[in-house]
Amino acid sequence: MEQQTHRPGVFKQPNKRHKSDGNSARSEKVGGRQAPKAATKKKHKQQLDKKQRRNQMAVQRKAKREEVLNQKRSRGHDDTPPFLVGIIPLCRSIDSTDILNALKQCPDVNVMEGDRVCHVNSVRLKQRFAFLKPAADDIGAVLDAAKVADCLLFGLSIQESLGHYADHVLSCLFAQGLPSVIFCVQGLKSLPNKKQSETKKEITKHLEKRFPDIKVHSLDDEKDALLLLRAIGCQKLAKMQMREYRPHLLANEMTFEPSANDSTVGTLKVTGYLCGQTLNVDQAVHIPGFGDFQLLQIDSPYDPHRLSSRSKEISEVKVLEQANLETRTPLQPLLPVDPLSQEQTWPTEEELMEAEEERIQKKEKKMIRKQRVQKGISEYQAVWMEESIEYGPKESSSSSDDDDDDEDMEGGYDDPMKAVSESSSGDEKDAEDVDDGEKQTDTMSVAASEYDQKVHFAADEDEMKRFKEARLDQMFPDEIEIPSNEPAKVLLQDYRGLASFRTSPWLHADEDCPVEYERIAIVPNFNSVRKALLKSLKKSDDHKECHPGRYLTLHIDKVPSDIMNEYNHQHPLVIFGLLKGEHYLTVVNMILQRFGDCEDVIESDEPMIFHVGYRRFSASPIYSQHTNGDKHKMERFFWKDNPVVATVYAPIIFPPASVLMFKQLRNGKEKLVATGRVLSVDPNRIIIERAVLSGHPFKINKKSAVVRYMFFNRDDILWFKPVELRTKSGRRGSILEPLGTRGHMKCSFNGSLDASDVVLMNLYKRVFPKLTYNARVPLPCASASYTETVDSDMEIFD
């Protein structure tokens, strides 16, 4: 008999398969054998031995050393511009003229005085220097000097410590970008030998917070002056990318020739050393505070400040380039208007008839309301009494009038003689009060009246009003009140609701754009364009004649004549060449942080003065939160705690670029209120304004409530019915139906409400900045003397 083998049935227990992620060696086996891997070329990092690593480090050190030496050789020689040094005193007892006179006493130097710049050539050091003295009481002059200076020479005093002015100047310079710095102190050797080192240590201790490894140089004799010049010529120059990528020129001499047709404009001739990049005559240039201009021609005069003296001085002026009127950069910041961009379909005859009928009905309703409303009742009261006046019975209205008359009689006098006697006694008291008031006004002191004339009470009232609005916005963020006599669906017709501000998309963003968006420049892939442009600057070899280091004269066309009055010998004039496309207007976003202890109320759309890179202009920014989402909530006020993004219409500027925001005071001075940097050049950044409507629960059920004071008519409730509600305690709900005609509505929530809870509705609208860009910014009013500016720091820093 054959043996039967066991065969598994349907109820056999299957074993669990091995849980593999598909990356193990077993999963790659095919038929019990591992599949052959495809040959790949992998670049293995070559392992260097000890000798090769030493050689590699030596090559890197040599390259860095060559870079530093080339940077030092780019200044102070005949074929290079001189070391430009800005002298800035940080104490009231220090004068920049005294520091410059001490440097002139250095042995073996040739001094060439100028109206704006003093040139000092050292024969012993074989280097040449140019010293600039900006006005100490003009922070704009100090900032303009720091934009082009290779080194800033700060003057310190042994008798006075650093105060508010020094802190203010250093803070502004750090926010803008600081070049190389050197500190000097005068009068140190007049102290005893023991106190010299102690005084030097105290001064260094005050500067350690901002400058950790700083050395303070003494400037008392010729030897100290020579050592200070050597330190200036041998120090490592700090890099500032804002000016390295752009051609710039400091005016050593400037003349103005008025135009024959218009005396208010003319040709400005500026002579100085070109730095940065090469300059093209067809390239537009920028003058801070005045705007963009075009060049007519570029000349090359003889450099009178050379180290090596020639036997025959060349007095002829060589014309390097002349502008081509057809190819030079146009100065049109906005694109031309397209007449077909705002084209829309004409309404049909049926739509026109419906609109006319609606207008007639509204007019008739308004006339009936005026006829039925009694005299003495305002329009505000008439809106509330509209139903009772138009549709209520006449008897009820007369009875209500009688009740009002009865109430007036109850509050009045029953005896007419008593009323007359009391009124006469009241008149006597009023007369006595008037006499007392006249005596008080007669005895008012003259000092008090003079004080009232000096104080600007109107400005104080405006400031108090703004402070109250800011406090209300801080306590009740974005809450608004709707007038009871105006429909909310008309006032808030531009707003929409969102289920979630963070995740809900903002649909049809391009339809809400203003007309200005059709004329501004919108650069797609701005970062890629910026990288390609800056990379092309390093490879460009065009216009070698106008290379950096050459002594040039620029002929600038159509410059206002008042430039000669503003840019005097104490305020430096700097000319910057614009990169490709930087003259077009666009939307610039800047991230800002409040400066120091500034407590001023700063509101959106308030005019401010901006120092953005090499530009200075005025604009009215709008502020928004700095978040990572695709939508950013607008801030009505610039609060101190968190950084904000300021959005303005401004010309294109390629970052990195620093930002300083100033507020102009009543006396004409400027106060620094915020600092930051350029975030992006993006007109498509969506800024959303939030409006919050608040209501209060009137009758509370388990999961529903009757809410009032949010709307005041039935149509508004039906209009905003799809929008979601929320409460301050975290409940969410929706509108079910309106109750009556006075704004009560029944709402359902996901939980019970408290009697003290507040029902809120969030509405959103996209907002845009206003086109308030103005390149013409007059210089701030300077004080009569330096000491007056320092004494008036209480107004600047408090």
Side-chain angles (χ1 to χ4, degrees):
M1 186 176 180
E2 295 182 1
Q3 188 178 0
Q4 296 290 333
T5 59
H6 175 73
R7 294 181 180 179
V10 295
F11 297 104
K12 180 184 176 182
Q13 178 181 354
N15 295 327
K16 294 182 179 180
R17 298 182 61 182
H18 178 68
K19 294 181 179 179
S20 175
D21 55 355
N23 297 326
S24 62
R26 184 175 299 177
S27 63
E28 297 177 1
K29 291 182 179 180
V30 179
R33 292 185 179 182
Q34 187 174 359
K37 295 182 178 180
T40 58
K41 295 181 180 180
K42 291 185 178 180
K43 294 182 179 180
H44 297 282
K45 187 176 181 181
Q46 186 179 3
Q47 297 294 334
L48 302 178
D49 56 6
K50 188 175 182 180
K51 186 177 181 180
Q52 290 175 339
R53 289 197 302 270
R54 284 183 177 177
N55 292 336
Q56 187 180 23
M57 294 173 63
V59 171
Q60 292 176 357
R61 285 196 301 268
K62 186 178 179 180
K64 290 183 179 179
R65 190 182 299 111
E66 288 291 334
E67 183 182 357
V68 174
L69 291 177
N70 291 334
Q71 190 179 14
K72 290 182 179 180
R73 296 190 187 105
S74 63
R75 294 289 187 274
H77 302 284
D78 283 342
D79 297 334
T80 59
F83 283 97
L84 183 57
V85 184
I87 304 176
I88 301 175
L90 295 181
C91 302
R92 69 177 73 184
S93 58
I94 298 297
D95 191 4
S96 57
T97 305
D98 297 338
I99 297 176
L100 183 57
N101 292 333
L103 292 172
K104 292 178 183 178
Q105 303 301 323
C106 182
D108 299 333
V109 296
N110 298 325
V111 180
M112 289 160 280
E113 293 283 354
D115 296 337
R116 297 176 173 276
V117 182
C118 178
H119 291 266
V120 177
N121 295 347
S122 177
V123 180
R124 181 179 299 184
L125 300 178
K126 296 181 180 180
Q127 290 178 333
R128 54 179 182 169
F129 305 88
F131 292 94
L132 185 65
K133 299 184 299 179
D137 56 351
D138 188 358
I139 189 63
V142 175
L143 292 177
D144 287 348
K147 290 176 183 177
V148 293
D150 300 318
C151 174
L152 293 181
L153 180 59
F154 293 107
L156 304 174
S157 175
I158 60 175
Q159 302 175 354
E160 185 181 354
S161 60
L162 300 179
H164 293 295
Y165 173 76
D167 187 34
H168 180 59
V169 171
L170 292 177
S171 299
C172 293
L173 291 175
F174 267 95
Q176 177 181 268
L178 197 64
S180 302
V181 296
I182 286 184
F183 290 86
C184 70
V185 57
Q186 287 183 313
L188 188 62
K189 292 186 177 180
S190 62
L191 300 176
N193 294 332
K194 294 183 178 181
K195 288 188 177 181
Q196 289 183 11
S197 59
E198 295 178 0
T199 305
K200 209 169 185 179
K201 287 181 181 179
E202 290 180 0
I203 294 174
T204 308
K205 186 177 180 180
H206 286 289
L207 299 173
E208 281 181 350
K209 294 181 180 180
R210 296 182 181 269
F211 308 95
D213 301 328
I214 196 65
K215 181 180 179 182
V216 179
H217 299 264
S218 176
L219 186 59
D220 290 328
D221 51 17
E222 297 179 357
K223 184 179 179 180
D224 294 340
L226 181 61
L227 292 176
L228 185 58
L229 283 181
R230 188 188 301 273
I232 294 174
C234 296
Q235 69 174 345
K236 182 180 178 181
L237 301 179
K239 290 185 177 180
M240 298 181 67
Q241 295 185 3
M242 184 267 297
R243 66 186 186 188
E244 284 186 359
Y245 291 123
R246 297 173 178 85
H248 56 277
L249 181 142
L250 175 68
N252 291 353
E253 299 175 1
M254 54 184 298
T255 57
F256 182 80
E257 295 181 359
S259 175
N261 300 328
D262 189 1
S263 60
T264 58
V265 295
T267 302
L268 180 67
K269 298 181 180 180
V270 181
T271 305
Y273 295 94
L274 181 66
C275 302
Q277 299 289 332
T278 58
L279 182 63
N280 182 8
V281 70
D282 295 332
Q283 189 176 357
V285 296
H286 177 77
I287 301 177
F290 281 84
D292 303 336
F293 299 94
Q294 293 175 328
L295 294 176
L296 291 177
Q297 70 179 29
I298 301 177
D299 301 339
S300 177
Y302 171 71
D303 186 2
H305 313 118
R306 299 178 62 89
L307 284 170
S308 57
S309 58
R310 299 183 180 180
S311 58
K312 294 182 180 180
E313 293 187 358
I314 303 175
S315 58
E316 296 180 358
V317 177
K318 180 181 178 182
V319 179
L320 297 181
E321 293 181 358
Q322 288 186 346
N324 187 353
L325 301 181
E326 297 180 356
T327 60
R328 67 178 181 177
T329 304
L331 296 180
Q332 187 177 3
L334 294 174
L335 302 177
V337 180
D338 186 5
L340 300 179
S341 61
Q342 298 293 330
E343 184 181 3
Q344 56 184 348
T345 57
W346 189 258
T348 61
E349 296 182 359
E350 295 179 356
E351 293 176 348
L352 292 174
M353 292 293 294
E354 291 178 0
E356 185 67 20
E357 291 178 359
E358 186 178 356
R359 187 184 66 83
I360 295 174
Q361 290 178 2
K362 288 183 178 180
K363 187 175 180 181
E364 292 178 352
K365 189 175 180 181
K366 190 174 181 180
M367 292 296 297
I368 294 173
R369 183 189 303 171
K370 286 184 177 181
Q371 293 175 1
R372 294 186 178 181
V373 171
Q374 299 177 2
K375 293 183 179 180
I377 297 177
S378 62
E379 295 183 359
Y380 176 79
Q381 295 172 341
V383 173
W384 288 95
M385 300 173 61
E386 180 178 357
E387 292 185 0
S388 61
I389 293 174
E390 292 184 2
Y391 306 106
K394 295 183 179 180
E395 296 179 359
S396 60
S397 61
S398 61
S399 61
S400 62
D401 295 340
D402 297 338
D403 294 339
D404 295 339
D405 295 339
D406 295 339
E407 290 177 0
D408 295 339
M409 290 299 296
E410 290 177 0
Y413 294 99
D414 295 335
D415 190 1
M417 295 302 295
K418 183 178 180 181
V420 172
S421 61
E422 290 190 5
S423 62
S424 60
S425 62
D427 295 340
E428 293 177 358
K429 292 181 180 180
D430 294 339
E432 294 177 359
D433 294 339
V434 170
D435 295 338
D436 295 338
E438 291 177 356
K439 292 179 181 179
Q440 291 179 0
T441 54
D442 294 339
T443 57
M444 182 179 296
S445 61
V446 180
S449 60
E450 293 178 355
Y451 178 82
D452 293 342
Q453 294 177 359
K454 294 180 180 179
V455 176
H456 301 276
F457 288 102
D460 292 343
E461 291 178 359
D462 296 340
E463 191 70 22
M464 182 181 64
K465 183 179 179 181
R466 294 176 55 189
F467 181 76
K468 288 182 178 179
E469 292 178 356
R471 291 292 296 170
L472 286 175
D473 184 75
Q474 192 174 17
M475 295 172 62
F476 308 101
D478 301 326
E479 288 194 21
I480 62 173
E481 294 183 2
I482 299 177
S484 59
N485 58 345
E486 296 184 13
K489 66 178 184 180
V490 177
L491 296 176
L492 305 175
Q493 60 183 348
D494 297 333
Y495 289 80
R496 67 177 75 170
L498 292 177
S500 174
F501 183 81
R502 184 178 61 88
T503 59
S504 298
W506 189 265
L507 302 177
H508 309 292
D510 297 337
E511 297 180 358
D512 302 332
C513 297
V515 182
E516 291 81 11
Y517 265 54
E518 300 175 1
R519 305 186 62 191
I520 63 174
I522 300 177
V523 184
N525 299 326
F526 180 79
N527 293 329
S528 301
V529 173
R530 169 185 166 272
K531 290 180 181 179
L533 180 61
L534 298 183
K535 189 176 181 180
S536 64
L537 293 176
K538 300 178 182 179
K539 298 181 180 181
S540 63
D541 296 332
D542 300 337
H543 309 286
K544 290 185 178 180
E545 294 184 351
C546 301
H547 59 79
R550 193 158 187 174
Y551 196 66
L552 302 176
T553 299
L554 307 182
H555 296 251
I556 307 175
D557 189 22
K558 296 180 181 180
V559 181
S561 59
D562 55 350
I563 191 173
M564 301 297 293
N565 298 328
E566 290 199 13
Y567 284 99
N568 50 24
H569 64 281
Q570 291 186 340
H571 195 110
L573 174 62
V574 185
I575 309 297
F576 282 93
L578 301 181
L579 299 180
K580 183 178 180 180
E582 282 193 326
H583 63 284
Y584 288 115
L585 208 65
T586 185
V587 177
V588 180
N589 304 306
M590 303 167 284
I591 180 171
L592 300 176
Q593 180 75 41
R594 289 290 286 265
F595 171 73
D597 298 332
C598 179
E599 299 291 345
D600 292 4
V601 177
I602 302 177
E603 191 176 1
S604 287
D605 293 330
E606 182 179 355
M608 292 290 173
I609 298 175
F610 290 90
H611 291 237
V612 182
Y614 57 89
R615 291 186 180 272
R616 183 171 67 245
F617 59 88
S618 63
S620 300
I622 60 173
Y623 307 107
S624 59
Q625 294 180 354
H626 181 44
T627 55
N628 295 328
D630 59 344
K631 300 180 293 297
H632 311 275
K633 192 179 81 69
M634 186 192 113
E635 295 288 341
R636 288 183 171 85
F637 293 91
F638 186 179
W639 301 111
K640 183 179 179 181
D641 301 332
N642 300 323
V644 300
V645 176
T647 304
V648 297
Y649 284 103
I652 295 176
I653 184 167
F654 294 98
S658 60
V659 178
L660 283 79
M661 189 173 74
F662 289 85
K663 179 181 179 181
Q664 193 166 12
L665 304 178
R666 293 192 299 265
N667 56 3
K669 298 181 181 178
E670 295 178 359
K671 178 180 179 180
L672 181 64
V673 295
T675 59
R677 59 181 176 85
V678 174
L679 178 64
S680 63
V681 179
D682 185 14
N684 297 323
R685 189 175 188 269
I686 300 177
I687 303 175
I688 305 299
E689 179 185 2
R690 185 181 68 174
V692 180
L693 305 181
S694 60
H696 300 273
F698 178 53
K699 294 179 181 180
I700 301 175
N701 299 325
K702 187 175 181 179
K703 286 192 175 181
S704 63
V706 178
V707 181
R708 60 179 178 178
Y709 300 150
M710 183 178 289
F711 302 106
F712 297 98
N713 58 70
R714 187 183 184 90
D715 295 337
D716 291 342
I717 298 174
L718 296 175
W719 180 267
F720 292 99
K721 185 179 179 180
V723 184
E724 186 182 14
L725 301 176
R726 68 178 182 89
T727 65
K728 287 192 174 181
S729 61
R731 304 296 184 187
R732 292 185 176 274
S734 59
I735 300 175
L736 295 179
E737 58 179 350
L739 301 177
T741 59
R742 297 301 179 86
H744 290 202
M745 57 185 180
K746 185 178 181 181
C747 307
S748 64
F749 297 92
N750 58 354
S752 60
L753 303 183
D754 296 334
S756 60
D757 209 346
V758 180
V759 182
L760 304 175
M761 176 184 288
N762 294 340
L763 301 174
Y764 303 96
K765 180 185 71 170
R766 186 179 179 184
V767 293
F768 302 88
K770 296 180 180 178
L771 186 55
T772 57
Y773 170 78
N774 187 11
R776 180 68 180 95
V777 179
L779 296 176
C781 299
S783 301
S785 63
Y786 176 69
T787 56
E788 291 181 5
T789 306
V790 178
D791 294 338
S792 63
D793 282 343
M794 181 179 63
E795 186 178 1
I796 299 179
F797 298 99
D798 289 347

